[in-house]
Amino acid sequence: MRALTVAPARAGAAEVRDLPDPRPGEGELLVEGLAVGVCGTDREIVSGAYGRPPPGRDRLVLGHESLGRVISAPDGSGFAPGDLVVGVVRRPDPVPCGACARGAFDMCRNGRYTERGIKELDGYGSELWTVETGYAVALDPRLERVGVLMEPTTVVAKAWEQVERIGARSWFEPRRVLVTGAGPIGLLAALLGVQRGLEVHVLDLATGGPKPEAARALGAEYHAADIGEVTGRVDPDIVIEATGASGVVLGAIAGTASYGIVCLTGVSAAGRRIPVDAGAVNREIVLENDVVVGSVNANLRHYAAAADALARADLGWLERLITRRVPLDRHAEALTARPDDIKVVLTLGREA
Ligand code: BGC
């Protein structure tokens, strides 16, 4: 089978290679890969800045945003050939830490978790893959064209859960959410905000193209303006931050309504310094009982919530988030970001 492989410690080493077909172990599904989504993490791995191959190897199969079709399933597993499935990204650390021992591997405390396509486990960017049934999630068959959006949706399902759990510490009836960034994470976070009946605002730099259109099609208000101006006008109860840009992050923290919750989801590069009035930021957070929370990855509860959110979403709207579908052998094109991209998808086989 063909697979997209990388050498995580070396820049620019992405290559399609022929690898032996995987054989499902006990309790595993054999899956035909349909597509993998490409995100900033994949590009970071290809650039040599992130990721780790499985122990004893120097190459890793890339791809953590999966979509496939079951070829074979163990009897009594609840899966059957033909099912549309995605594979979960993270596995608990082997110790396990208290969080991993309780199924909260997204909150792993010792950093020894593994991740398919990212850290020490081969990913899903291959024509065939296997997955443990306990880490496979079935999708509504109607989602064949868009189910590859599942993994980023799990990330925002977790972010929303964090916001709601933190909000529940006192009276909480949020009305307005500001989502910063109109990439896949931002737009999917906006979708989940709309599904919750909130007034949703989306801020991004783009002044034209698919991003503002997608936000407006959702019924959100789109802003291509300065973060301070937008928070001043919107006075958001919640901010889901999906740019990782320092100025936007700080603007969001400084710009919430009282009892504001800012959930940070963007992984930024270190080393960019900007002047900050730390006293003013502290004062604002304290006097307003604000919370700033970071959120990464997702556990099985978030996969279930994401599958449900996608099943309830408008399929046409989800389709417009996938702005390019690129076949596996043209992976270099997919791995190079273009300004008008929302989600770029690598197709692995028959799926077009
Ligand atoms: C993935 C997460 C993963 C994180 C850190 C993100 O791109 O969506 O599942 O935990 O990278 O490796």
Side-chain angles (χ1 to χ4, degrees):
M1 64 153 189
R2 293 180 317 143
L4 178 56
T5 67
V6 290
R10 248 186 313 132
E15 214 175 273
V16 173
R17 291 204 172 173
D18 259 314
L19 299 181
D21 287 357
R23 293 224 195 122
E26 206 180 312
E28 287 188 341
L29 305 176
L30 176 64
V31 178
E32 175 200 358
L34 297 176
V36 281
V38 174
C39 80
T41 300
D42 298 306
R43 295 192 173 114
E44 232 188 309
I45 295 171
V46 171
S47 80
Y50 194 59
R52 210 176 292 161
R57 291 185 14 204
D58 68 341
R59 297 192 79 84
L60 168 82
V61 175
L62 195 67
H64 61 279
E65 299 184 3
S66 60
L67 180 68
R69 191 172 289 293
V70 174
I71 295 174
S72 69
D75 286 341
S77 65
F79 291 93
D83 283 354
L84 202 58
V85 285
V86 303
V88 172
V89 176
R90 194 175 281 195
R91 298 293 177 278
D93 77 74
V95 177
C97 74
C100 284
R102 289 161 180 81
F105 47 78
D106 58 316
M107 299 290 200
C108 179
R109 299 297 204 281
N110 62 23
R112 290 177 60 194
Y113 61 81
T114 50
E115 289 182 338
R116 299 246 347 214
I118 302 176
K119 186 170 179 270
E120 296 168 28
L121 293 176
D122 279 332
Y124 299 108
S126 50
E127 290 171 322
L128 293 171
W129 41 268
T130 56
V131 66
E132 313 88 302
T133 52
Y135 290 101
V137 180
L139 284 188
D140 187 323
R142 293 184 317 123
L143 295 172
E144 171 154 14
R145 294 272 300 164
V146 294
V148 71
L149 295 171
M150 173 75 164
E151 198 274 344
T153 309
T154 67
V155 166
V156 301
K158 173 176 172 180
W160 271 107
E161 182 197 73
Q162 302 310 298
V163 167
E164 283 159 354
R165 289 185 169 198
I166 291 164
R169 76 199 195 279
S170 179
W171 173 75
F172 191 47
E173 278 178 18
R175 282 187 297 154
R176 287 175 302 274
V177 56
L178 172 64
V179 175
T180 50
I185 295 290
L187 288 168
L188 290 166
L191 167 71
L192 268 64
V194 169
Q195 288 182 341
R196 283 163 167 75
L198 296 172
E199 179 185 314
V200 179
H201 297 259
V202 177
L203 175 146
D204 194 279
L205 290 172
T207 50
K211 291 180 180 177
E213 284 168 22
R216 291 189 187 115
L218 205 53
E221 193 173 325
Y222 184 83
H223 308 262
D226 173 73
I227 177 81
E229 233 176 81
V230 175
T231 54
R233 254 186 292 143
V234 173
D235 199 26
D237 301 301
I238 298 165
V239 180
I240 309 269
E241 205 302 303
T243 69
S246 327
V248 179
V249 170
L250 283 165
I253 293 171
T256 58
S258 197
Y259 199 71
I261 302 172
V262 177
C263 184
L264 305 178
T265 68
V267 186
S268 43
R272 276 207 59 209
R273 284 163 192 259
I274 58 169
V276 179
D277 183 343
V281 174
N282 173 70
R283 188 182 166 88
E284 157 105 9
I285 293 175
V286 171
L287 291 180
E288 292 190 344
N289 292 291
D290 291 341
V291 175
V292 180
V293 60
S295 182
V296 70
N297 196 255
N299 67 36
L300 295 176
R301 194 173 60 247
H302 309 123
Y303 275 78
D308 179 58
L310 288 181
R312 284 191 290 127
D314 179 78
L315 283 181
W317 185 81
L318 292 172
E319 278 240 24
R320 63 200 295 169
L321 299 194
I322 301 179
T323 44
R324 283 195 286 149
R325 291 179 198 264
V326 181
L328 183 59
D329 48 6
R330 302 212 320 257
H331 57 88
E333 267 172 54
L335 290 167
T336 309
R338 295 184 189 164
D340 266 355
D341 284 337
I342 299 180
K343 175 55 70 188
V344 179
V345 161
L346 267 174
T347 55
L348 298 170
R350 282 174 288 162
E351 199 245 20

